[in-house]
Amino acid sequence: MPVTCVVGLQWGDEAKGKIVDLLTAEHEIVVRYQGGANAGHTVVREGKAYKLSLMPSGVFRPDVRCVIAAGVVLNPASLLEEIETLRGHGVRVADNLLISDRAHVIFPWHFEEDRLLDRQCGAEAIGTTMRGIGPCYRDKVGRALAVRVGDMYRADFRERIERIVRAKGEVFAALAAEVTLDAEKIYEEYRGYAERLAPHVADTTAFLLDAVEAERKILFEGAQGALLDIDHGTFPYVTSSNSSGVGAPAGSGVPGRYVEKVIGIIKAYNTRVGGGPFPTEQDNDIGERIRRRGNEYGTVTKRPRRCGWFDAVAARYTARLSGADALALMLLDVLSGLPELKICTAYELDGHRTRDFPAHVDDLRRVEPVYETLPGWSEEIGEATSFDALPDTARRYVARIGQLLGSPVEIVSVGPDRKQTIFDKQ
Ligand code: IMP
């Protein structure tokens, strides 16, 4: 399969890193195309868990080219730290990493703006990861105060920083925010980052277009999940990029017609971090049990994740939106021991039953989930290596999800290790 896209179909944290890591064996290039250091991917290798944020999950295979494409917002300090940590573990990061000269750069003012907006919004706060993601994308769209990776190597970089610091300073002063920005210090700091990142900076758009024309095997690695998509997610409780499948062409520069397979990643239940409606949330013992068993705490922010039953209305919407033609069902083992399991198959809204996902958060807050109850299983399933080895009830649960979403479940994960993955089709 020359060009494959892996995309989370829920609110992020679907354990995409594990699947991407497994699929990299069949690909030559792995591409991050949106988001930034708000993402947290965990890849478990030989019993050791690696937390990746900006780095594409293909980095563990030295023959794979990892690309941070134009649609990503880059925090240079965070990427450099990741590179150093990986190198410390003997992972090679050299010409196998390419960073787009078109990607936008996150600066200290973006962190301040993230904090300020969160405070101003009070109870309505989005609950961002505070990584400056939204403010950086805002500057990208606003254009005048944006800095792209390539700008850090231009002769006017210092003046650009000075000009932006002046403009931002005026805004902070008008908001009576106590923020001091030192243009010279920021310039020196970022000049240092630019120097260290220079060997990796490239025109990744041209690189990827050449690669697809040469029919090289490419894997697009989505960050966050499709329900957090800026255009199609649970707006405004979303991230600032296209985190559904539609983001891959825009963020990478590779036309959508080249993407031959989209693998939608879903957890066997739902989780969410930050604010926003979550119809199947279980703010009770069941949610707590899933959180503990699934270790549902943020990779990046360590926040406890909100947990609930599998929402097939939401996942069907994002599976269709992302063009998912196969599904990977993750963390099935977390549900072991629950006597019965619920799947939300429809919403009731104002006396009407619907399978469509509402556009407005107020409506999503008001929906009543319609549940189907399935029997659970008591066995531990971490050792299962085929569908046949799963308990009958687990197989039924998996099959029902595939049926409701209209895509086959081709991969089932029953534990964090690479070996705990079932690949055979139903
Ligand atoms: P931001 O991306 O930091 O602006 O945060 C916006 C929303 O997206 C918040 O609810 C975050 O918790 C959520 N979010 C951002 N990145 C991730 C992720 O990688 N996994 C899960 N949620 C995320």
Side-chain angles (χ1 to χ4, degrees):
M1 196 56 63
V3 182
T4 305
C5 182
V6 168
V7 56
L9 298 184
Q10 293 158 322
W11 281 291
D13 311 312
E14 296 93 352
K16 295 177 288 294
K18 172 176 169 173
I19 296 302
V20 172
D21 179 50
L22 284 164
L23 293 175
T24 48
E26 300 159 29
H27 293 86
E28 299 164 76
I29 301 166
V30 179
V31 187
R32 270 287 305 271
Y33 53 86
Q34 44 74 227
N38 50 347
H41 291 189
T42 307
V43 179
V44 179
R45 299 216 114 214
E46 283 143 23
K48 184 164 175 25
Y50 293 88
K51 310 269 184 214
L52 302 182
S53 213
L54 268 162
M55 187 66 81
S57 304
V59 70
F60 297 99
R61 299 188 192 259
D63 47 341
V64 166
R65 275 287 178 90
C66 290
V67 175
I68 297 179
V72 169
V73 284
L74 188 96
N75 177 339
S78 164
L79 180 61
L80 284 162
E81 196 183 311
E82 250 179 275
I83 293 175
E84 286 317 311
T85 309
L86 285 166
R87 283 183 182 150
H89 286 102
V91 180
R92 181 176 162 269
V93 187
D95 59 357
N96 53 335
L97 172 68
L98 296 181
I99 302 167
S100 172
D101 50 4
R102 292 177 172 88
H104 282 249
V105 183
I106 296 185
F107 280 88
W109 48 82
H110 293 132
F111 291 93
E112 300 294 347
E113 288 168 347
D114 228 352
R115 261 191 293 275
L116 201 62
L117 195 68
D118 198 67
R119 255 206 326 265
Q120 285 168 330
C121 290
E124 298 289 299
I126 292 165
T128 79
T129 58
M130 297 288 161
R131 296 295 188 274
I133 306 295
C136 185
Y137 275 118
R138 207 159 58 223
D139 279 340
K140 166 176 164 169
V141 177
R143 292 149 294 164
L145 304 179
V147 178
R148 303 201 295 176
V149 168
D151 295 330
M152 297 196 292
Y153 303 95
R154 317 288 298 185
D156 65 350
F157 182 41
R158 183 196 293 262
E159 283 112 82
R160 184 183 278 268
I161 295 278
E162 287 166 355
R163 184 171 58 76
I164 296 172
V165 164
R166 267 197 307 279
K168 294 284 181 185
E170 282 169 22
V171 177
F172 286 131
L175 293 172
E178 281 177 31
V179 177
T180 31
L181 298 168
D182 181 336
E184 187 56 25
K185 208 169 133 228
I186 295 171
Y187 167 70
E188 284 301 335
E189 183 185 335
Y190 276 71
R191 205 173 56 104
Y193 296 148
E195 226 171 270
R196 290 168 67 195
L197 291 175
H200 305 287
V201 176
D203 181 347
T204 63
T205 307
F207 171 80
L208 290 173
L209 288 171
D210 287 345
V212 282
E213 280 162 21
E215 296 188 13
R216 293 181 69 188
K217 294 184 179 133
I218 305 178
L219 186 64
F220 287 110
E221 176 179 12
Q224 290 89 42
L227 290 173
L228 291 171
D229 187 287
I230 180 74
D231 290 309
H232 307 286
T234 51
F235 191 89
Y237 298 96
V238 292
T239 192
S240 307
S241 62
N242 283 119
S243 52
S244 70
V246 305
S252 66
V254 172
R257 71 184 166 93
Y258 286 107
V259 179
E260 286 174 25
K261 181 157 183 163
V262 178
I263 303 178
I265 316 285
I266 42 175
K267 275 186 198 182
Y269 46 89
N270 270 78
T271 63
R272 168 159 218 176
V273 270
F278 179 175
T280 61
E281 181 168 15
Q282 297 299 302
D283 191 10
N284 53 29
D285 287 352
I286 289 171
E288 184 51 35
R289 190 180 186 288
I290 293 174
R291 179 162 28 272
R292 258 189 287 117
R293 183 75 216 249
N295 191 23
E296 293 294 355
Y297 296 88
T299 314
V300 173
T301 59
K302 311 280 181 271
R303 287 180 288 180
R305 296 180 185 140
R306 300 156 62 194
C307 299
W309 296 121
F310 187 82
D311 185 342
V313 177
R316 175 176 168 267
Y317 165 64
T318 51
R320 295 168 76 202
L321 179 68
S322 300
D325 28 35
L327 300 169
L329 184 79
M330 313 302 288
L331 293 130
L332 187 64
D333 53 303
V334 171
L335 299 182
S336 285
L338 283 167
E340 52 184 34
L341 304 170
K342 290 182 194 255
I343 298 178
C344 168
T345 55
Y347 295 153
E348 293 268 3
L349 182 63
D350 299 329
H352 298 289
R353 192 167 280 208
T354 179
R355 284 183 76 199
D356 289 332
F357 193 71
H360 204 286
V361 276
D362 288 348
D363 289 336
L364 194 59
R365 271 198 192 98
R366 292 190 305 115
V367 299
E368 277 297 326
V370 178
Y371 287 115
E372 187 173 297
T373 304
L374 281 83
W377 56 93
S378 54
E379 302 91 319
E380 290 303 330
I381 57 172
E383 304 281 308
T385 51
S386 68
F387 273 96
D388 291 342
L390 289 172
D392 242 17
T393 45
R395 280 209 305 272
R396 267 174 62 195
Y397 185 74
V398 173
R400 184 65 180 134
I401 286 179
Q403 196 180 41
L404 286 164
L405 270 54
S407 278
V409 178
E410 290 187 358
I411 303 170
V412 173
S413 175
V414 291
D417 204 84
R418 310 176 82 209
K419 291 194 286 286
Q420 294 173 296
T421 317
I422 301 173
F423 272 105
D424 41 352
K425 295 185 185 176
Q426 291 170 77

